[in-house]
Amino acid sequence: QVQLVESGGRLVQPGGSLRVSCAVSGLTFTTATMAWFRQDPGKEREFVASISWSGRTSDYSDSARGRFTISRDDAKNTAYLQMTSLKPEDTAVYYCAADTTKHFGARLPAEYDYWGQGTQVTVSS
């Protein structure tokens, strides 16, 4: 059974930093492209960042580039999203996703095979 479990979401002040984690089990993590998406109520789920199975290539949305960093620890089967200079508009439920087809560059939710349950990130003073 494949499981993706996000953690680390919380309330943070504007300008602050936060790291969210995604612990993966039940699939071969070392061959999975990992990604982070986010979703506000009433809005579509939007791509934030992805990292290739090798860890050598990453992709970011325009809003994330320069502020967020995606990484992975294959020894722990865990993906991370380090977020800095957080803004109120970053408030959303953050979801991790896995693509097990060894394809990289996907930015649409439908291109990912497995999803976590999400973790709430709220940026507010």
Side-chain angles (χ1 to χ4, degrees):
Q1 180 183 359
V2 177
Q3 284 192 314
L4 283 67
V5 180
E6 299 96 334
S7 61
R10 60 176 176 83
L11 173 65
V12 62
Q13 291 191 340
S17 299
L18 184 68
R19 188 179 79 165
V20 292
S21 303
C22 174
V24 179
S25 60
L27 58 79
T28 305
F29 186 73
T30 53
T31 60
T33 291
M34 298 300 301
W36 288 93
F37 287 75
R38 66 187 184 186
Q39 188 170 21
D40 265 343
K43 295 185 179 180
E44 292 187 352
R45 192 166 295 189
E46 66 169 342
F47 171 80
V48 176
S50 64
I51 186 167
S52 64
W53 58 92
S54 67
R56 289 195 289 266
T57 308
S58 56
D59 183 28
Y60 295 92
S61 68
D62 288 345
S63 62
R65 191 174 296 111
R67 298 188 300 128
F68 295 1
T69 302
I70 189 171
S71 62
R72 61 190 298 153
D73 184 338
D74 289 353
K76 296 182 178 180
N77 280 14
T78 300
Y80 304 96
L81 184 69
Q82 176 71 51
M83 300 179 283
T84 64
S85 301
L86 283 161
K87 306 173 183 179
E89 51 263 43
D90 294 318
T91 296
V93 177
Y94 283 72
Y95 297 90
C96 71
D99 176 356
T100 59
T101 64
K102 298 200 76 173
H103 169 254
F104 180 74
R107 290 187 167 203
L108 296 176
E111 297 179 277
Y112 287 83
D113 307 306
Y114 300 101
W115 291 85
Q117 83 290 346
T119 187
Q120 177 71 48
V121 174
T122 302
V123 185
S124 174
S125 56

